[in-house]
Amino acid sequence: EWSYISHSVIIQLINNNAIINFSQAIELNPKDLRAYIGLAAAYRNKGLYFDAKRIIDEAIKIFGQDPTILTELNFLREAN
């Protein structure tokens, strides 16, 4: 059980760092599609579906119906 808990904590830390890093990447370059997809995926992985959808919506406004964005939106729908 201990190893399961520590693995869970590690995953949460990775997702927290990903959120911070992808958010900073968007601030530095608001036209970086990969940063939006990564941030949405990190939120989705943490179960923060509303935040993930918000980021996907922002990406759609900037990049349109890009297939990568639509794929992440489908992952979000499946998870939620």
Side-chain angles (χ1 to χ4, degrees):
E1 182 176 334
W2 184 85
S3 63
Y4 175 77
I5 293 170
S6 63
H7 182 260
S8 173
V9 169
I10 290 169
I11 296 300
Q12 289 298 322
L13 289 172
I14 290 169
N15 284 320
N16 289 343
N17 286 337
I19 289 169
I20 292 167
N21 291 333
F22 285 124
S23 295
Q24 289 174 344
I26 291 170
E27 285 180 27
L28 292 172
N29 182 5
K31 299 289 186 179
D32 185 351
L33 173 59
R34 294 171 300 171
Y36 285 89
I37 298 303
L39 182 56
Y43 279 134
R44 176 176 46 81
N45 289 337
K46 285 194 67 154
L48 299 172
Y49 304 124
F50 178 81
D51 292 317
K53 179 68 167 71
R54 178 179 53 81
I55 296 300
I56 291 170
D57 289 343
E58 285 180 31
I60 289 172
K61 287 179 187 173
I62 296 167
F63 304 102
Q65 299 287 321
D66 183 279
T68 310
I69 297 169
L70 299 179
T71 299
E72 181 56 35
L73 182 57
N74 286 333
F75 287 148
L76 178 60
R77 287 179 178 151
E78 290 173 6
N80 194 3

